[in-house]
C-alpha cells in the first residue's frame, strides 16, 4: 500500500485532521496559538462557563468584581497547594514531616497569573479597561491576602525586591559597582 492511500493499514478511512478544543475557527495559514494565548482562551472560556452556570446566569456585561472573587474561591476546590490552618501543628513549617488534614488551595502565583490572563482577555473580547472587573482593587486586595496567608502558613515570607539605585556616571548598579571595588582591593 502506498503512502497516498485514502485508507489506514486496517482498511478504515483516515481520521479527520485535528481541530482546536473550541472548534477550528482558525485558518490553516495562521500560526498555532502560543502556550500563553491557548491558556488565556481556556481561562476565558472557563470563566464564561462559570458565569453561565450561576443561578440565575450572569452575562459578561453584568459581571463585576464580586463574581470574579466568587470564581477564585470556587477554584480553590481544585487546588493542589496545602495551606496549613493556624491551629495545625505544621503551621509555619516550610517542609512538614507528616501529612495533615489542612485544605488544598490554589497557589497564590497561579491565581495571580490567572487574573492577569483574564484581565487581558476581558479587554480583547470588547470590555473597556475602565470597567474591567479583573483589574478592580478588591481583586488586588484578595490576592495580597491570599499571598500573605499562604506565606505565613508555609513559614516562608514573600519579600519585595528592593530597587537598586542606578549609578548615573557609569550606568551600572551601585551594588555591583561597590562589590567590584571590594573585590579588586
Amino acid at each position: 500500500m502506498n503512502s497516498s492511500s485514502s485508507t489506514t493499514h486496517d482498511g478504515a478511512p483516515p481520521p479527520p485532521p485535528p481541530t482546536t478544543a473550541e472548534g477550528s475557527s482558525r485558518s490553516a495559514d495562521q500560526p498555532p496559538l502560543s502556550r500563553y494565548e491557548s491558556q488565556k482562551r481556556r481561562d476565558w472560556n472557563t470563566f464564561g462557563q462559570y458565569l453561565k452556570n450561576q443561578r440565575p446566569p450572569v452575562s459578561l456585561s453584568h459581571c463585576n468584581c464580586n463574581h470574579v472573587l466568587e470564581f477564585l474561591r470556587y477554584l480553590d476546590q481544585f487546588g493542589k497547594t496545602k495551606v496549613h490552618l493556624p491551629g495545625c501543628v505544621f503551621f509555619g513549617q516550610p517542609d512538614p514531616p507528616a501529612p495533615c488534614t489542612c485544605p488544598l488551595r490554589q497557589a497564590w502565583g497561579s491565581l495571580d497569573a490567572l487574573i492577569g490572563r483574564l484581565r487581558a482577555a476581558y479587554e480583547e473580547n470588547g470590555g473597556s479597561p475602565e470597567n474591567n472587573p479583573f483589574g478592580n482593587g478588591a481583586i488586588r486586595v484578595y490576592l495580597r491576602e491570599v499571598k500573605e496567608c499562604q506565606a505565613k502558613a508555609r513559614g516562608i515570607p514573600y519579600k519585595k525586591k528592593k530597587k537598586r539605585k542606578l549609578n548615573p556616571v557609569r550606568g551600572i548598579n551601585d551594588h555591583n559597582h561597590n562589590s567590584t571595588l571590594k573585590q579588586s582591593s
Side-chain angles (χ1 to χ4, degrees):
M1 200 180 270
N2 66 25
S3 62
S4 64
S5 173
S6 62
T7 61
T8 60
H9 62 77
D10 61 356
T19 61
T20 63
E22 295 79 33
S24 187
S25 61
R26 299 177 58 78
S27 66
D29 62 339
Q30 289 179 320
L33 292 176
S34 69
R35 184 173 177 220
Y36 170 80
E37 292 296 330
S38 296
Q39 186 64 54
K40 183 169 59 173
R41 178 180 288 181
R42 273 193 304 276
D43 293 340
W44 182 248
N45 290 338
T46 300
F47 182 69
Q49 193 61 49
Y50 172 80
L51 292 177
K52 286 178 189 169
N53 290 340
Q54 297 303 294
R55 294 291 160 239
V58 178
S59 67
L60 280 169
S61 61
H62 290 101
C63 170
N64 61 40
C65 67
N66 292 324
H67 297 108
V68 176
L69 291 170
E70 290 169 11
F71 178 65
L72 294 176
R73 290 183 190 108
Y74 159 79
L75 290 177
D76 265 342
Q77 67 183 312
F78 307 110
K80 297 176 187 167
T81 300
K82 179 73 75 170
V83 179
H84 299 288
L85 300 173
C88 177
V89 295
F90 302 131
F91 183 81
Q93 293 186 25
D95 297 310
C100 67
T101 59
C102 290
L104 294 173
R105 302 269 191 238
Q106 288 289 338
W108 164 78
S110 299
L111 293 176
D112 188 51
L114 170 68
I115 289 298
R117 291 188 299 268
L118 288 173
R119 187 175 184 174
Y122 179 84
E123 293 173 19
E124 289 172 10
N125 285 280
S128 71
E130 299 82 30
N131 298 326
N132 191 332
F134 303 100
N136 187 284
I139 306 302
R140 288 191 296 274
V141 168
Y142 176 79
L143 289 174
R144 187 179 329 116
E145 288 172 356
V146 168
K147 179 180 176 181
E148 290 169 359
C149 172
Q150 291 185 3
K152 286 178 187 172
R154 294 175 58 219
I156 302 172
Y158 286 104
K159 293 182 181 175
K160 261 190 172 176
K161 292 182 180 177
K162 292 183 181 178
K163 292 182 182 176
R164 294 185 177 175
K165 294 180 183 175
L166 191 63
N167 184 332
V169 175
R170 299 182 187 244
I172 58 175
N173 290 343
D174 285 339
H175 173 76
N176 291 342
H177 179 70
N178 290 339
S179 63
T180 305
L181 290 176
K182 289 176 187 172
Q183 291 173 357
S184 62
S185 48

